[in-house]
Amino acid sequence: MTEVIGVRFKSGGKQYYFNPNGVHVDVGEHVIIETAKGVEFAECVQSNFMVDEMELVSTLRPMLRVATKEDFLQVERNKEREKNAYKICQKKILEHGLEMKLVDVKYSFDGSKILFYFTADGRVDFRSLVKDLASVFRTRIELRQIGVRDEARMMGGLGVCGRPFCCSQFLEDFQPVSIKMAKTQSISLSPTKISGSCGRLMCCLKYEQEAYEDLLKKAPKLESLVKTPDGVGVINQVNLLREQCQVVLDKDPDEVHIYKNNDIEVIRSGKGKRPAGYEKPEKPEKPALQPRFQKESASAPEQKQPAEPPRKKKASPPRKNSSRPAPAKQGEEEKRPSGGQSRRRHRPHHRRGGETQQ
């Protein structure tokens, strides 16, 4: 048996195990750990416990000591240096014109290495950037490209549920999530409703997936032919959590009835042809409606009205061909047939009401 402790290097990160070297460490205490990347500052999340040596994958690294006041001061100084390094790196990225987004900067505990985290759509050639940063800080520089889910974990924030991101609180590793989980849980497939702030499917779809899969094994399928206490019908909808289903009965197709899964008997699972003896009853044909005029004609005998004699048209008098010319309009000149001279034809002005002729 080997004594071990569980520690985390950042809040919500993965838990690692180290050898305490016989020192008792309580949960919440900070310790100095020797890792493959150097000396690091960590928090104890699981106190001393015994583990069988057969369960160990590799040799445990030792814990150097419990953190002191000087170690906490060193951590505070590193945070101030990280803010300054972030501004300098952001300025260098703009000078080189690189298409990358700087997310976070981390100093090692002893200050021997600076780690820059960034995101980008594709591969970025940052060799010239590393040289400039090394000349400024004069220490080991490392640039690491991360994904959008890792960015959300580092930055933190609030999800659509109103709580902090699960990945930044307690998730140690990202679980694979697929659109099939949303279909199994009967959740809306709208991307805005099932996607997180990172643009990927929400991690919480994985939480209840196993429970839904167990319920789905016991529940009947849609469009199944079942036998209920009220008769034979077809399943229209299934509620997995309540273990209920909606059935449309053959004898009453206009209404929907709800039954427990234990109260029905499955005759045919899913879609398909109905077995013998369970054919769907045919709907009775409604009598055809006759037009109203046919009913009246059938009830009352036809009565012929006497035809009216044709009306004679009045003869119009013949038109007389007059050789008199048509009167000219006002302002136009009328030609005289004899003398050849023309004169204007004036119409008398109408008197206005109230005027007197002098």
Side-chain angles (χ1 to χ4, degrees):
M1 302 294 289
T2 305
E3 186 179 14
V4 298
I5 59 172
V7 301
R8 281 179 180 162
F9 297 102
K10 56 183 178 181
S11 178
K14 189 176 181 180
Q15 182 175 343
Y16 298 90
Y17 299 97
F18 291 87
N19 184 5
N21 288 331
V23 179
H24 180 75
V25 183
D26 295 329
V27 176
E29 288 186 339
H30 292 80
V31 293
I32 306 300
I33 302 295
E34 181 183 354
T35 65
K37 300 179 181 180
V39 180
E40 294 292 343
F41 182 83
E43 180 184 1
C44 179
V45 294
Q46 191 172 2
S47 185
N48 302 54
F49 64 98
M50 305 303 293
V51 176
D52 190 359
E53 294 182 356
M54 299 297 294
E55 298 180 2
L56 298 177
V57 179
S58 60
T59 305
L60 295 176
R61 291 185 174 273
M63 180 192 75
L64 299 181
R65 63 181 183 274
V66 179
T68 60
K69 293 183 179 180
E70 295 181 357
D71 297 331
F72 282 97
L73 293 176
Q74 180 66 23
V75 172
E76 294 297 329
R77 286 194 295 267
N78 289 341
K79 290 182 180 180
E80 295 295 330
R81 296 165 68 183
E82 288 171 2
K83 295 179 181 179
N84 186 32
Y86 186 92
K87 296 179 181 178
I88 295 175
C89 184
Q90 187 70 29
K91 183 178 179 181
K92 294 292 183 182
I93 290 174
L94 296 176
E95 291 178 358
H96 288 272
L98 299 176
E99 295 181 358
M100 55 189 292
K101 177 185 176 183
L102 185 62
V103 177
D104 199 5
V105 179
K106 292 294 181 183
Y107 261 84
S108 61
F109 178 74
D110 54 0
S112 60
K113 184 179 66 173
I114 309 176
L115 187 58
F116 296 90
Y117 296 94
F118 71 94
T119 59
D121 295 336
R123 298 187 63 181
V124 181
D125 186 6
F126 48 76
R127 289 175 292 181
S128 58
L129 177 63
V130 173
K131 293 179 181 179
D132 288 354
L133 294 176
S135 62
V136 173
F137 298 105
R138 297 188 179 278
T139 185
R140 183 181 174 185
I141 303 296
E142 183 178 347
L143 274 77
R144 183 175 299 175
Q145 185 174 358
I146 60 176
V148 290
R149 302 180 79 180
D150 295 305
E151 179 185 3
R153 168 185 282 183
M154 290 184 177
M155 301 298 293
L158 297 178
V160 294
C161 58
R163 295 181 57 85
F165 293 159
C166 299
C167 55
S168 62
Q169 292 293 312
F170 56 86
L171 285 182
E172 296 183 356
D173 296 321
F174 290 110
Q175 299 293 332
V177 185
S178 62
I179 196 69
K180 183 180 178 181
M181 298 180 181
K183 294 180 180 179
T184 304
Q185 301 174 25
S186 301
I187 301 177
S188 173
L189 300 181
S190 176
T192 57
K193 294 184 178 181
I194 60 177
S195 300
S197 300
C198 60
R200 300 292 188 269
L201 294 176
M202 293 188 295
C203 300
C204 54
L205 293 175
K206 180 68 175 178
Y207 299 164
E208 300 177 356
Q209 180 63 18
E210 295 181 359
Y212 274 93
E213 290 178 353
D214 293 340
L215 293 173
L216 196 61
K217 295 177 182 178
K218 305 175 184 178
K221 296 181 180 180
L222 287 174
E223 303 295 335
S224 296
L225 183 66
V226 295
K227 186 177 182 181
T228 66
D230 300 328
V232 180
V234 179
I235 295 179
N236 188 22
Q237 186 178 356
V238 178
N239 192 329
L240 294 178
L241 296 180
R242 295 185 178 182
E243 297 184 357
Q244 296 177 349
C245 59
Q246 294 183 1
V247 181
V248 178
L249 299 178
D250 292 346
K251 64 180 181 180
D252 190 8
D254 297 332
E255 294 186 6
V256 178
H257 301 267
I258 300 177
Y259 300 95
K260 287 283 188 180
N261 294 344
N262 299 331
D263 298 338
I264 62 175
E265 179 184 353
V266 179
I267 301 174
R268 182 204 65 203
S269 180
K271 294 182 179 181
K273 186 178 180 181
R274 293 197 175 200
Y278 295 96
E279 289 80 5
K280 192 172 183 179
E282 297 181 358
K283 295 182 180 180
E285 296 182 359
K286 296 182 180 180
L289 298 177
Q290 297 180 356
R292 186 176 179 181
F293 70 90
Q294 291 185 2
K295 291 184 178 180
E296 293 179 354
S297 61
S299 59
E302 295 182 358
Q303 297 179 0
K304 295 183 179 181
Q305 297 180 359
E308 295 181 357
R311 297 180 180 180
K312 297 181 178 180
K313 294 183 179 180
K314 294 181 180 181
S316 58
R319 294 182 180 181
K320 297 180 181 180
N321 297 328
S322 59
S323 59
R324 184 179 179 181
K329 295 182 180 179
Q330 184 178 359
E332 294 183 355
E333 296 181 353
E334 183 180 359
K335 295 183 180 181
R336 300 180 64 182
S338 60
Q341 297 179 359
S342 63
R343 61 184 179 88
R344 292 181 180 272
R345 183 179 181 183
H346 300 280
R347 294 184 179 179
H349 296 283
H350 297 280
R351 297 178 183 177
R352 298 181 181 176
E355 294 181 359
T356 58
Q357 185 177 4
Q358 294 181 358

